[in-house]
Amino acid sequence: MDAKIALFGAGGKMGVRLSKNLAKTDFRVAHVEVSEIGRKRLKDEVGVDCIEVDAALDGADVVILAVPDTLIGKVSHAISSKLKAGTMVMLLDAAAPFAGHLPERPDLIYFVSHPCHPLIFNDETTEEGRRDYFGGVAAKQSITSALMQGPDEAFALGEAVAKAIYAPILRSYRLTVEQMAILEPGLSETICATLLDVMREAMDETVRRGVPAECARDFLLGHMNILAAVTFKEIPGMFSDACNKAIQFGKPRLMRDDWLKCLDNDEIAESIRRIT
């Protein structure tokens, strides 16, 4: 595809990642970055220069907003009047769209896409692939996308851009914005990141109680590996009776009875309100 893409926030950490991948495609990319530090980073790492907003938006088919969630509303409203009907505005996270921060422009296409990041269980054969934890460099990752607003045939263009910026791709899933919000911040941050933080705290407490730090880390990460493999059916097997007993008595000690309510729509909405 040779569609023109205007990439806002091109000199940020995410913007540079996207710029590097887009440079490998036939898309025509106009880079926009307000900070001098970001412009220099983009020039040093990707070898491209930024242009002014009006020039970037002139003839743009897709506008990617690679800016923080807290700026999505401000930036999208600032450029809205400059966008021709049918332009696709692509967001890299469901938070701001879910919260209603986008301009009321029924003639625009709103598309949301977010990476799953490389899987813990994978078939990467290179050191670079095994060490690519974020994705978009050497390790395959799946992606999620939602056509929030616009004709159904527009999904193909949005997915093509998403596959380009997050490459290499394992699988591509089409969801709704609401489903994407359940995944993040719900499943990935409110639940997964919180529980991982709790495990790190428990490991640190284990060390405080006298277990050597390297031993505690090896023991926890090793058990995370095998326990996750069994839990997520990566391998056949089951927990021991002792482990099942520990879960039976440990879960009510660690978790509230109503903890799954953090995936309810009102809880997701409140979580997104706090971050946007």
Side-chain angles (χ1 to χ4, degrees), residues 19 29-30 90 92 99 115 128 132 164 173 181 200 248 252 264 266 276:
S19 296
V29 185
M90 177 176 286
L92 307 181
E128 185 183 21
D132 181 14
Y173 299 101
R200 175 56 195 258
Q248 178 185 347
D264 286 355
D266 57 340
T276 60

Side-chain angles (χ1 to χ4, degrees), residues 79-87 102-110 149:
I79 66 173
S80 178
S81 63
K82 303 176 184 291
L83 302 180
K84 68 180 186 296
T87 301
L102 299 179
E104 289 287 340
R105 280 285 307 270
D107 59 335
L108 295 179
I109 299 166
Y110 289 151
Q149 173 181 297

Side-chain angles (χ1 to χ4, degrees), residues 185-186 189-190 262 266-276:
E189 295 175 341
T190 303
C262 65
D266 57 340
E267 292 272 358
I268 295 292
E270 178 59 20
S271 177
I272 287 176
R273 184 195 65 76
R274 290 192 291 266
I275 64 176
T276 60

Side-chain angles (χ1 to χ4, degrees), residues 34-258:
V34 296
S35 77
E36 287 301 321
I37 293 177
R39 289 180 178 226
K40 184 178 186 305
R41 181 190 298 125
L42 188 67
K43 183 66 173 180
D44 291 344
E45 296 191 28
V46 190
V48 297
D49 295 305
C50 292
I51 63 176
E52 296 305 309
V53 171
D54 288 350
L57 294 178
D58 184 25
D61 301 293
V62 180
V63 178
I64 301 178
L65 300 184
V67 300
D69 289 331
T70 53
L71 296 179
I72 291 293
K74 178 181 179 181
V75 174
S76 61
H77 280 81
I79 66 173
S80 178
S81 63
K82 303 176 184 291
L83 302 180
K84 68 180 186 296
T87 301
M88 175 178 290
V89 179
M90 177 176 286
L91 297 309
L92 307 181
D93 191 280
F98 182 91
H101 293 325
L102 299 179
E104 289 287 340
R105 280 285 307 270
D107 59 335
L108 295 179
I109 299 166
Y110 289 151
F111 192 92
V112 187
S113 188
H114 192 78
C116 295
H117 303 300
L119 299 176
I120 291 176
F121 305 114
N122 60 69
D123 60 357
E124 299 299 332
T125 58
T126 67
E127 182 66 14
E128 185 183 21
R130 288 189 292 271
R131 302 291 296 182
D132 181 14
Y133 300 117
F134 190 90
V137 178
K140 298 183 292 296
Q141 65 176 337
S142 296
I143 58 173
T144 60
S145 300
L147 179 62
M148 181 179 182
Q149 173 181 297
D152 194 66
E153 56 267 25
F155 185 85
L157 173 59
E159 185 181 43
V161 175
K163 286 182 175 180
I165 62 179
Y166 297 131
I169 302 300
L170 179 62
R171 289 179 285 270
S172 178
Y173 299 101
R174 181 171 182 174
L175 305 176
T176 65
V177 171
E178 291 74 17
Q179 289 171 327
M180 291 182 69
I182 292 173
L183 291 175
E184 185 165 308
L187 181 63
S188 64
E189 295 175 341
T190 303
I191 296 176
C192 183
T194 299
L195 294 177
L196 286 170
D197 191 61
V198 167
M199 284 192 281
R200 175 56 195 258
E201 285 187 22
M203 186 190 77
D204 291 343
E205 177 63 16
T206 300
V207 173
R208 192 189 70 79
R209 295 184 183 213
V211 176
E214 188 173 19
C215 173
R217 187 178 190 275
D218 284 354
F219 201 87
L220 178 60
L221 295 182
H223 277 75
M224 284 174 64
N225 190 37
I226 181 58
L227 294 173
V230 173
T231 299
F232 291 96
K233 309 300 182 186
E234 186 69 17
I235 60 173
M238 60 184 65
F239 293 153
S240 67
D241 291 342
C243 184
N244 285 324
K245 277 290 185 183
I247 294 170
Q248 178 185 347
F249 288 93
K251 187 176 291 186
R253 182 72 175 84
L254 297 172
M255 311 292 291
R256 287 172 37 161
D257 290 342
D258 63 346

